[in-house]
């Protein structure tokens, strides 16, 4: 597999380095609340009550994505339901599965207590930022 040809030169390299750095910093700031959830959120037991589906258009047709609808009992006794923001091609949970949620009452945020829910977007953004910075270094050096 051949590498993607990049414009060479210090200006291109500088722009790619800056873009990569910006993605890392802004992505970290954007996801900060989620990254810090385990340090201060309430960890509550929950149950998957349904699997939501949605269609996503792709080049060769439609794909069906799945995400769990989760119910938990808040500290004040209210039953709360939400659809987890972790969509996948195959359901990762099934109705009746017991899970845990992290609930941040200060910001009204509830997420599944899984690595994917907490850090998936952060890792994707970090990957993009690092790839841009590596491409910037390569262009800077003229390679």
């Amino acid at each position: 597999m051949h590498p993607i040809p990049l414009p060479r030169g210090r200006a291109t390299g500088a722009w790619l380095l800056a873009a990569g750095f910006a993605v890392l910093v802004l992505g970290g700031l954007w996801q900060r609340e989620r990254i810090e959830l385990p340090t201060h959120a309430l960890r509550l037991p929950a149950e998957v009550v349904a699997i939501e589906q949605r269609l996503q258009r792709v080049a060769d047709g439609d794909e069906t994505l799945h995400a769990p609808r989760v119910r938990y009992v808040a500290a004040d006794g209210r039953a709360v339901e939400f659809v987890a923001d972790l969509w996948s091609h195959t359901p990762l949970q099934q109705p009746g599965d017991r899970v845990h949620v992290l609930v941040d009452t200060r910001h009204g945020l509830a997420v599944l207590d899984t690595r994917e829910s907490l850090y998936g977007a952060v890792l994707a953004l970090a990957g993009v930022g690092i790839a841009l910075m590596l491409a910037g270094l390569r262009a800077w050096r003229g390679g």
Side-chain angles (χ1 to χ4, degrees), residues 18-126:
F21 184 73
V23 167
L24 288 174
V25 171
L26 296 175
L29 292 173
W30 175 50
Q31 292 292 309
R32 182 176 173 191
E33 286 178 14
R34 187 170 289 238
I35 294 168
E36 294 176 348
L37 265 179
T39 64
H40 63 271
L42 296 173
R43 185 173 190 263
L44 299 173
E47 181 179 353
V48 176
V49 294
I51 300 297
E52 299 288 322
Q53 296 182 350
R54 75 175 183 197
L55 286 178
Q56 175 177 326
R57 296 220 181 268
V58 293
D60 59 347
D62 293 337
E63 294 179 332
T64 302
L65 298 178
H66 306 84
R69 176 174 287 280
V70 177
R71 179 184 302 137
Y72 68 94
V73 177
D76 62 6
R78 292 179 300 114
V80 179
E81 280 189 23
F82 70 97
V83 177
D85 59 359
L86 189 60
W87 294 84
S88 62
H89 289 96
T90 57
L92 300 177
Q93 292 89 10
Q94 296 297 322
D97 285 356
R98 303 279 183 202
V99 294
H100 284 90
V101 294
L102 295 174
V103 180
D104 182 354
T105 55
R106 299 177 304 174
H107 299 103
L109 178 65
V111 299
L112 284 179
D113 186 13
T114 65
R115 284 185 298 245
E116 296 85 358
S117 287
L118 292 171
Y119 308 116
V122 172
L123 292 175
L125 289 167

